[in-house]
Amino acid sequence: MIAMENYTVFSKSVRGYSHLKNNTVCQDYSDHKKTDDAVMIAVADGHGSVNYFRSDIGSKLAVERALDSAEIFCRDIKKEQLYDNKSSDALMEQLSKSIINSWRSAVREHFNANPFKEEEIAPLADKYKNRYQNEKNIESAYGTTLILAVITDDYWFAVQIGDGNISVASLKGEDGEAEWRVPVEKDERCFLNATTSLCDSDAIDEFHYCLETADRGGAPDAVFLSTDGIEDSFPVNRNEEYVFKLYESIAKNLGDDNLLKEYLENFSRLGSGDDCSVAGIFRTDMFEEEILDEHS
């Protein structure tokens, strides 16, 4: 059984330095949850364009509904179904559809209670202005990426739509060094400012996932998620290496909330300027304690 006390679980989002300067809202959101059977984390990054003017709400709804859908999935699923590749593929697709439908339902509920205002629509490109005035594809205004990861006794999985990073680590060798890897293949459609999104009409075809059961090595010792404000702060040819080091630094400080907030704010100021979100699940004894150096 998963001993919850042996895991540190955290999530943190900070408003980007460029957003502070321009007096715009934080469009990232992150959260985490522990249940009797699972630990789970999620991050989302609302789209920055003015045409997606409610993406900060969309990212929050995405994280909330993803965690709810994951909790139901873990409660109702029979672990034997996940040991069969065909069955597990279908189940991951089922979960992805559940997240999409739940998010779209939440978006519609929010819109019905808060119809678009003229001042929200006025600055938009004509294509979007006409669409929203006719209440077509209102989900675009709430557009967002999403990454979700869940660890249970019998399996762990992650699902992703859009950009951002999923990294996992396992302790290997006699010296207990962490071996890092990226378990979900990067989506080539996510490049520069372009990304796939929950608001896309073909969103179900844009989800990527990984699923590993106990008979295939079981859960890693650490899972970390981050939005693209983190990766974009590093040189393209070395950002994966630096992201791993960042995650290790966070783990060594046991996800300390105040230190992490200060660290990410400085990170955004000196790096991408974008909103930054990080969430993680890791064994509390995985790394020796260390104090974050905000200038590292």
Side-chain angles (χ1 to χ4, degrees), residues 242-253:
Y242 282 117
V243 168
F244 294 162
K245 289 181 179 178
L246 168 66
Y247 293 154
E248 287 198 20
S249 294
I250 293 172
K252 289 174 182 178
N253 286 272

Side-chain angles (χ1 to χ4, degrees), residues 231-244:
E231 285 186 308
D232 290 350
S233 296
F234 297 122
V236 173
N237 62 335
R238 297 189 68 188
N239 62 10
E240 193 171 275
E241 171 191 347
Y242 282 117
V243 168
F244 294 162

Side-chain angles (χ1 to χ4, degrees), residues 10-12 29-33 40-43 63-64 67 279:
F10 76 93
S11 54
K12 174 61 66 176
Y29 194 78
S30 59
D31 203 356
H32 59 276
K33 181 183 288 190
M40 53 192 73
I41 50 178
V43 300
V63 167
E64 291 174 345
L67 292 174

Side-chain angles (χ1 to χ4, degrees), residues 165-180:
N165 175 268
I166 307 173
S167 296
V168 301
S170 298
L171 297 180
K172 301 291 184 180
E174 295 180 359
D175 56 3
E177 288 189 0
E179 182 178 281
W180 289 91

Side-chain angles (χ1 to χ4, degrees), residues 222-276:
V223 179
F224 284 87
L225 314 177
S226 62
T227 53
D228 69 340
I230 297 295
E231 285 186 308
D232 290 350
S233 296
F234 297 122
V236 173
N237 62 335
R238 297 189 68 188
N239 62 10
E240 193 171 275
E241 171 191 347
Y242 282 117
V243 168
F244 294 162
K245 289 181 179 178
L246 168 66
Y247 293 154
E248 287 198 20
S249 294
I250 293 172
K252 289 174 182 178
N253 286 272
L254 302 181
D256 183 281
D257 189 75
N258 292 327
L259 281 172
L260 184 55
K261 179 177 183 294
E262 181 180 355
Y263 192 62
L264 293 181
E265 287 174 342
N266 285 327
F267 205 84
S268 178
R269 178 175 59 86
L270 300 172
S272 67
D274 198 2
D275 301 328
C276 291

